[in-house]
């Protein structure tokens, strides 16, 4: 089991020795005991770092933000940046390195193993406890359980009851790529891989049933782009849904600006929302490591993991491809095999 | 009334957007033309340099603009002008095909074929079959922009 | 006008509202939203999105256009239908969003689309006997769990019956339609309602400290380094603004749906000051380039600029932006921290 104090010590030492220029981690926020992402640069700030089951965010996102910021300021990274990384976060880093977004030596990975559990799903937890997030004052990992503190005192809950779906289905709760790792690598099976996807595919076996379901989901989307913004893989400088997907040069005319190609309109209507979500899913094929952040943040609860999981499952079964396991291999859509499926082609 | 209904049914003509690679399928469609093979004129051909250059975005966009069916056609495996473009296309388009079906789009609406420059007759047949398969489905309104 | 309504008769009341399109909170796929309804069951916490879309929809078509080659372009104006709509179960905070939107869309500029929709819209509110969210802070910004501002009718849940109180003339009309369904409240009803209201008002809430001093303090703290610090985790999504009952920024685009002839429509869609491209100039220059400058815009617009312009906060304390933020940016904490730091110096 991880002692959160060890994490603080490691982070402090890394900053004090000047080995890294910053540490991306979690600290306590103002919403109950829920953790929030933080970037610290001074050794004395390390004491504020936390590690508990509310550390739900995929912090790899902040390395991308850091890289973009530096590029914008025309600065070179210099010393590496350290990141507290769960299994899923570390897999995201693998993909980013595989894509040469940054080099291995530019990142110091402070791995944290989820061991036999994972992070919790806020909603499941509140439902189980029958309280709201503000009255939850404490929470920690304890073996296969979570121990939480509410107004009525401390109580122990079996972790799988309140764990996020993504964590239940996780096959790699241990950050294999790391500079240092806290916690142990533990074998576990909490739910079958792609369990939620299989449930969905069984429940909606026919084409009309599928459409009835997705039509409802896509009509609900408000295009706040939180799914895109929270995704470490969605690092494109220009996204097809933005109004600025167009290079403006000195000689760009007003007519050219007005008539720029708009693949997807701004309107949050079904057709445009489908265009957005399908494009995003396909752009994440072989890249999505199923951290499930897109689904977690969606304010209107669109089950986005299903889209990504579907592609992940197809890639694994048909192309033998698994994202986030190696920096060296070619990406899914830039490689092929002679025996790739061909029977859908006439 | 009956008569009218039948008429509107026979009047529905599906629109197909066909992304054809410059080196094989586009040449194949030309051959169908110069050989005077009769086939339905429902496909709007868009020549691309390689089937591997067809982004899923093109396919989604064609559906968004109201295509009833989308065809992507390239060189036979092993014949790609760029050596491996069609291998890459096969992978990418397999995935989009799966995704379209996953969200409940009729499987008939997306089709892929290998047509060489010598296969004018095959191209004509592919379009003919596609039109016949699309006709019973009626207009595609799932992905089409319904904007006023 | 105050009347009583048995809970099971709310559907009967709704059926008397001829000529009105009725909406109520519905839970579908785990999300509460306002949907057309024959009857309503008001046991919702609060809806995921506020009802602001009734007056200010996410997409509004201004006109359609068509240009045949060689001819001048033809424009066809599109007006909102303007049918009467009534929304049941609106929470008092959300209702207070409406008068704030009015300031923007009818006072300094007359927006015919907004005015038309707004003019045929009625809110039947539901007092919050219990705060629906742990992040409610309506009392900090001049509201209350029983506020009537922006409502036409306010209902108070008394267990098996509602106390129904008219707020506006429209509200009275809605109640008159009910006829005998609404009965005169008894002394017991009134005292029970009074007790619940008092309990609601005194229920502890999260709070903005010394809110009266916030506008000048924010003004003083404009250059505070806290903005960048607090915004550091921000991912630049639009949750906080799209879920806000008062955010009203928009974008206007021409959506073409045919090139021969060129035709399409000019549409207004919601936009968000938190999107990086919101203030992007076509030159590439972006005056609000950093996360901190965008957070400052959102917070100061609500707690300083709007207050300077209209004498009221542009925040109603519904707590959606706090609860919905993927990374825990908390407007209450941000205002308190920046205001406190500005107070010190």
């Amino acid at each position: 089991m991880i002692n959160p104090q060890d994490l603080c010590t490691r982070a402090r030492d890394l900053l004090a020795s000047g080995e890294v220029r910053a540490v991306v981690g979690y600290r306590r926020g103002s919403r109950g005991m829920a953790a929030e992402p933080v970037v610290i640069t001074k050794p004395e700030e390390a004491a504020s770092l936390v590690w508990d089951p509310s550390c739900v965010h995929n912090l790899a996102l902040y390395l991308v933000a850091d890289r973009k910021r530096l590029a914008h300021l025309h600065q070179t990274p210099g010393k590496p940046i350290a990141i507290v990384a769960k299994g899923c976060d570390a897999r995201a880093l693998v993909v980013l390195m595989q894509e040469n977004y940054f080099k291995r030596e530019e990142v110091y990975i402070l791995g944290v193993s989820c061991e036999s559990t994972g992070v919790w799903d806020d909603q499941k937890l509140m439902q189980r406890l029958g309280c709201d997030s503000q009255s939850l004052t404490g929470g920690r990992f304890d073996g296969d359980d979570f121990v939480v503190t509410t107004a009525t005192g401390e109580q122990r809950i079996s972790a799988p009851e309140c764990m996020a779906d993504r964590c239940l289905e996780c096959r790699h709760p241990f950050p294999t790529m790391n500079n240092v790792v806290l916690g142990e690598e533990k074998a576990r099976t909490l739910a079958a891989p792609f369990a939620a996807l299989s449930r969905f595919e069984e429940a909606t076996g026919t084409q009309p049933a599928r459409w009835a379901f997705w039509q409802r989901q896509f009509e609900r989307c408000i295009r706040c782009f939180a799914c895109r913004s929270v995704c470490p893989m969605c690092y494109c400088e220009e996204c097809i849904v933005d109004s600025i997907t167009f290079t403006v040069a000195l000689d760009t005319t007003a007519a050219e600006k007005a008539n720029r190609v708009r693949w997807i309109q701004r309107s949050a209507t079904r057709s445009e929302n489908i265009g957005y979500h399908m494009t995003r899913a396909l752009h994440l094929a072989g890249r999505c490591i199923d951290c499930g952040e897109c689904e977690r943040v969606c304010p209107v609860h669109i089950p986005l993991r299903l889209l990504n999981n579907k592609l992940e499952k197809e890639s694994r079964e048909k192309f033998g491809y698994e994202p986030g396991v190696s920096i060296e291999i070619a990406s899914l859509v830039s490689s092929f095999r002679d025996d790739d499926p061909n029977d859908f082609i006439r | 009334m009956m008569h009218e209904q039948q008429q509107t049914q026979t009047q529905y003509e599906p629109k197909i957007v066909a992304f054809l690679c410059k080196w094989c399928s586009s040449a194949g469609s030309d051959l169908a033309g110069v050989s005077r093979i009769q086939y339905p004129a429902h496909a709007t051909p868009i020549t691309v340099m390689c089937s591997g250059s067809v982004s899923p975005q093109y396919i989604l966009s064609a559906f968004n603009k109201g295509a009833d069916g989308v065809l992507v056609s390239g060189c036979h495996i092993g014949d790609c002008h760029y050596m491996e473009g069609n291998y890459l296309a096969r992978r990418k388009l397999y995935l989009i095909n799966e995704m379209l079906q996953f969200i409940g789009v009729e499987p008939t609406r997306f089709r892929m074929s290998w047509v060489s420059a010598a296969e004018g007759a095959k191209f004509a047949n592919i379009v003919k079959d596609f039109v016949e398969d699309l006709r019973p489905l009626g207009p595609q309104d799932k992905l089409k922009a319904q904007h006023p | 006008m105050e009347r009583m309504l048995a809970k099971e008769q709310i559907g009967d009341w709704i059926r008397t509202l001829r000529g009105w399109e009725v909406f109520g909170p519905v839970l579908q796929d785990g999300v509460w939203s306002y949907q057309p309804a024959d009857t309503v069951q008001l046991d919702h916490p609060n809806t995921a999105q506020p009802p602001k879309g009734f007056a200010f929809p996410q997409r509004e078509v201004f006109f359609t256009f068509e240009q045949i080659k060689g001819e001048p372009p033809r424009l066809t104006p599109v007006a909102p239908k303007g049918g009467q709509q009534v929304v049941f179960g609106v929470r008092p905070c959300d209702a207070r969003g409406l008068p704030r939107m009015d300031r923007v869309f009818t006072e300094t500029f007359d927006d015919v689309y907004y005015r038309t929709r707004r003019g045929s819209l009625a809110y039947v509110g539901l007092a919050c006997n219990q705060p629906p969210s742990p992040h409610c802070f309506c009392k900090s910004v001049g509201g209350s769990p029983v506020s009537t501002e922006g409502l036409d009718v306010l209902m108070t849940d008394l267990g098996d019956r509602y106390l129904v109180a008219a707020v506006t003339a429209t509200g009275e009309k809605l109640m008159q339609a009910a006829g005998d369904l609404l009965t005169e409240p008894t002394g017991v009803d009134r005292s029970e309602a009074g007790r619940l209201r008092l309990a609601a008002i005194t229920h502890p809430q999260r709070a903005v400290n010394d809110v009266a001093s916030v506008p000048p303090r924010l003004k003083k703290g404009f250059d505070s380094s806290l903005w960048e610090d607090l915004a550091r985790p921000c991912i630049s999504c639009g949750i906080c603004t799209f879920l806000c009952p008062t955010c009203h920024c928009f974008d206007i685009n021409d959506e073409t749906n045919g090139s021969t002839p060129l035709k399409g429509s000019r549409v207004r869609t919601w936009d968000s000051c938190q999107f990086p491209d919101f203030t992007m100039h076509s030159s590439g220059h972006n005056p609000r380039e950093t996360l901190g400058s965008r957070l400052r815009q959102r917070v100061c617009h609500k707690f300083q600029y709007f207050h300077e312009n209209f004498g009221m906060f542009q925040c109603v304390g519904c707590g959606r932006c706090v609860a919905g933020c993927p990374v825990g940016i908390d407007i209450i904490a941000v205002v308190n921290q920046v205001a406190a730091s500005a107070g010190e110096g």
Side-chain angles (χ1 to χ4, degrees), chain C residues 258-306:
Chain C
S259 50
T260 44
L262 178 69
K263 55 181 182 178
S265 41
R266 178 157 300 176
V267 299
R268 168 166 75 192
T269 52
W270 291 354
D271 203 347
S272 167
C273 59
Q274 300 305 296
F275 291 150
D277 62 349
F278 181 72
T279 46
M280 178 73 94
H281 298 180
S282 62
S283 66
H285 173 64
N286 190 348
R288 267 185 236 139
E289 193 151 53
T290 62
L291 294 168
S293 64
R294 295 197 286 267
L295 175 67
R296 180 177 64 196
Q297 170 62 24
R298 179 168 75 92
V299 173
C300 288
H301 194 181
K302 295 190 182 306
F303 283 90
Q304 183 201 334
Y305 315 147
F306 202 86

Side-chain angles (χ1 to χ4, degrees), chain A residues 207 269-270 279 314 340 346, chain B residues 91 94 104 112 141 147:
Chain A
Q207 176 257 321
T269 53
R270 185 180 81 202
T279 303
E314 289 297 328
D340 279 352
R346 299 192 176 217
Chain B
R91 222 171 226 216
Y94 172 83
M112 196 174 168
D141 58 0
H147 298 168

Side-chain angles (χ1 to χ4, degrees), chain C residues 21 48 77 88 110 120 124 133 164 168 178 210 246 256 263 278 341:
Chain C
E21 199 182 348
F88 274 76
D110 182 34
S120 49
V124 176
S133 153
V164 187
T168 62
D210 186 15
T246 65
T256 52
K263 55 181 182 178
F278 181 72
S341 80

Side-chain angles (χ1 to χ4, degrees), chain A residues 30-31 62 222 224 266-267, chain C residues 58-59 233 255 271 322 330:
Chain A
S30 57
R31 303 186 297 186
Y62 293 97
I222 58 170
C224 65
R266 194 103 196 218
S267 294
Chain C
Q58 185 159 11
R59 176 175 195 268
E255 295 182 348
D271 203 347
V322 183
D330 176 346

Side-chain angles (χ1 to χ4, degrees), chain C:
Chain C
M1 181 161 77
E2 283 190 344
R3 294 286 184 275
M4 298 307 297
L5 175 72
K7 263 193 182 172
E8 66 271 15
Q9 286 188 313
I10 195 162
D12 298 333
W13 179 21
I14 285 171
R15 275 185 285 280
T16 66
L17 302 174
R18 301 234 166 74
W20 288 87
E21 199 182 348
V22 180
F23 295 83
V26 172
L27 180 66
Q28 191 183 37
D29 294 323
V31 185
W32 285 99
S33 64
Y34 293 104
Q35 300 290 341
D38 300 329
T39 185
V40 293
Q41 204 178 342
L42 302 179
D43 48 9
H44 60 301
N46 204 353
T47 47
Q49 282 190 276
K52 84 171 163 188
F54 286 102
F56 178 57
Q58 185 159 11
R59 176 175 195 268
E60 181 92 77
V61 180
F62 288 165
F63 57 79
T64 59
F65 56 83
E66 187 172 356
Q67 182 165 34
I68 294 163
K69 224 172 192 154
E71 288 178 28
R74 253 182 297 185
L75 305 185
T76 315
V78 176
K81 277 192 222 94
Q84 291 189 302
Q85 298 183 316
V86 55
V87 189
F88 274 76
V90 175
R91 293 291 179 181
C93 54
D94 287 348
R96 293 182 76 236
L98 210 47
R100 279 148 187 78
M101 301 286 277
D102 291 346
R103 295 285 175 281
V104 178
F105 288 115
T106 63
E107 208 161 272
T108 45
F109 174 80
D110 182 34
D111 185 290
V112 63
Y113 303 92
Y114 176 85
R115 182 163 45 77
T116 310
R117 291 183 187 279
R118 167 73 161 105
S120 49
L121 178 65
Y123 281 171
V124 176
L126 178 69
C128 303
N129 292 354
Q130 291 289 321
S133 153
H135 303 293
C136 287
F137 62 107
C138 57
K139 290 193 283 181
S140 289
V141 285
S144 101
V146 298
S147 162
T148 56
E149 189 187 349
L151 288 172
D152 294 283
V153 174
L154 177 67
M155 306 208 298
T156 310
D157 188 336
L158 305 187
D160 58 347
R161 61 206 190 283
Y162 292 111
L163 177 76
V164 187
V167 180
T168 62
T170 308
E172 290 196 8
K173 252 188 251 165
L174 289 169
M175 285 172 66
Q176 275 151 8
D180 295 342
L181 288 172
L182 298 178
T183 56
E184 200 65 38
T186 64
V188 177
D189 291 334
R190 286 188 198 277
S191 67
E192 175 67 0
R195 190 185 64 78
L196 286 168
R197 275 160 192 249
L198 187 66
I201 293 168
T202 49
H203 202 286
Q205 275 188 349
R206 298 191 61 199
V208 175
N209 305 330
D210 186 15
V211 76
S213 74
V214 163
R217 284 182 185 220
L218 288 182
K219 191 171 185 178
K220 216 168 129 195
F222 187 82
D223 291 318
S224 168
S225 61
L226 269 174
W227 293 116
E228 291 301 336
D229 292 349
L230 295 168
R232 191 85 190 258
C234 176
I235 61 171
S236 300
C237 75
I239 289 183
C240 48
T241 50
F242 279 10
L243 299 191
C244 177
T246 65
C247 275
H248 51 260
C249 287
F250 57 81
D251 189 11
I252 298 176
N253 280 290
D254 285 351
E255 295 182 348
T256 52
N257 53 20
S259 50
T260 44
L262 178 69
K263 55 181 182 178
S265 41
R266 178 157 300 176
V267 299
R268 168 166 75 192
T269 52
W270 291 354
D271 203 347
S272 167
C273 59
Q274 300 305 296
F275 291 150
D277 62 349
F278 181 72
T279 46
M280 178 73 94
H281 298 180
S282 62
S283 66
H285 173 64
N286 190 348
R288 267 185 236 139
E289 193 151 53
T290 62
L291 294 168
S293 64
R294 295 197 286 267
L295 175 67
R296 180 177 64 196
Q297 170 62 24
R298 179 168 75 92
V299 173
C300 288
H301 194 181
K302 295 190 182 306
F303 283 90
Q304 183 201 334
Y305 315 147
F306 202 86
H307 194 273
E308 287 168 356
N309 291 337
F310 301 112
M312 55 171 82
F313 293 110
Q314 196 222 348
C315 170
V316 294
C318 71
R320 283 188 183 85
C321 60
V322 183
C325 180
V327 294
I329 294 177
D330 176 346
I331 197 166
I332 308 172
V334 172
V335 170
N336 284 342
Q337 282 190 54
V338 177
S341 80
E344 285 160 16

